[in-house]
Amino acid sequence: MKTPSTDAALAARWLADFARAAAARDQATLAALFQPECHWRDALALTWSLETLSGARTVVPALAAALGQAGGRNFALHPARTPPRRVQRAGTEAIEAIFRFETAQGRGSGVLRLAPAAPGDEAPKAWTLFTALDELKGFEEGTGAARPSGEAYSRDFHGPNWRDLRDAEAAYADRDPAVLVVGGGQAGLSIAARLRALGVDTLIVDREARIGDNWRKRYHALTLHNQVQVNHLPYMPFP
């Protein structure tokens, strides 16, 4: 029986081999890392689009070209995410690993699933690969150590204080927003929060009086029918 440490070692080795093949733009080595029936989905990280490709004959050349163009590098297990583990996905047992990487323009993360390509194979090969862009270099979100400190008014007791500035900002009396979001549902709130964290002046408009009225007035009782973690709002995790 495979142990968690073995699974992590296998995933780390695959990522190291993948990184070397990407740097060398070596399609032959890259092809040896994938099952014939494999799938790659990219969310902006390497292709600047949302693409899903299937089959090694299609995936490998497209992935090699995208890696070269985007400058993909530093592929490694993500230390802050769930460690590699054995899972069942679509009836297939696989090692699932979350990794991180960089491109010339940004930083990304992804999910790798390794499964034996054939009975007796020592090294598992990639069955599915997902790559996603998390942030653009030079346009990082104002969170964590980069969040606003409030130093501009924290020692000015004559004001304006935070409430004054917030009211003036929300009034839009002397400017127009850079982005107008129509609808204050989950999607509208999420994109507006992300844009504001990137320093983009964003206004949400909604026909209802309060945030949440589109749910509150539609449902007498509301229960989430999928996993809680996919219903988080940016910067506001459950509960």
Side-chain angles (χ1 to χ4, degrees), residues 114 136 156:
L114 299 171
L136 293 171
D156 185 357

Side-chain angles (χ1 to χ4, degrees), residues 36-236:
E37 294 298 324
C38 60
H39 310 276
W40 169 44
R41 178 165 178 78
D42 185 57
L44 305 177
L46 302 176
T47 63
W48 290 114
S49 65
L50 300 174
E51 287 193 34
T52 302
L53 301 176
S54 297
R57 291 184 178 182
T58 301
V59 167
V60 170
L63 184 54
L67 285 165
Q69 186 172 6
R73 58 186 183 274
N74 296 334
F75 291 86
L77 293 175
H78 202 307
R81 304 293 295 273
T82 302
R85 57 180 179 167
R86 294 273 166 162
V87 297
Q88 283 277 345
R89 299 288 186 245
T92 298
E93 181 178 315
I95 299 172
E96 185 175 81
I98 302 174
F99 62 94
R100 62 183 180 183
F101 62 96
E102 291 186 41
T103 68
Q105 293 81 26
R107 301 175 185 87
S109 59
V111 179
L112 166 69
R113 295 194 183 104
L114 299 171
D121 278 351
E122 284 295 324
K125 297 186 178 183
W127 168 44
T128 67
L129 180 69
F130 173 62
T131 50
L133 181 68
D134 292 334
E135 65 179 6
L136 293 171
K137 294 178 179 177
F139 298 92
E140 291 80 4
E141 293 181 346
T143 59
R147 67 178 294 176
S149 64
E151 291 180 0
Y153 54 80
S154 63
R155 303 302 299 170
D156 185 357
F157 301 114
H158 298 289
N161 63 17
W162 181 90
R163 180 76 264 174
D164 297 331
L165 295 174
R166 184 70 187 91
D167 289 342
E169 182 183 41
Y172 284 97
D174 57 352
R175 74 194 195 286
D176 290 324
V179 174
L180 182 69
V181 175
V182 180
Q186 187 174 17
L189 294 172
S190 297
I191 190 62
R194 292 289 188 189
L195 287 170
R196 290 303 299 272
L198 289 169
V200 179
D201 193 356
T202 305
L203 173 66
I204 304 175
V205 294
D206 194 282
R207 65 182 178 182
E208 303 291 355
R210 295 185 299 166
I211 293 294
D213 274 354
N214 56 334
W215 300 292
R216 195 177 290 111
K217 293 184 176 182
R218 182 178 300 176
Y219 305 102
H220 180 64
L222 179 61
T223 300
L224 300 175
H225 57 268
N226 47 17
Q227 294 174 316
V228 169
Q229 58 265 32
V230 302
N231 291 282
H232 291 307
L233 286 170
Y235 324 114
M236 295 181 66

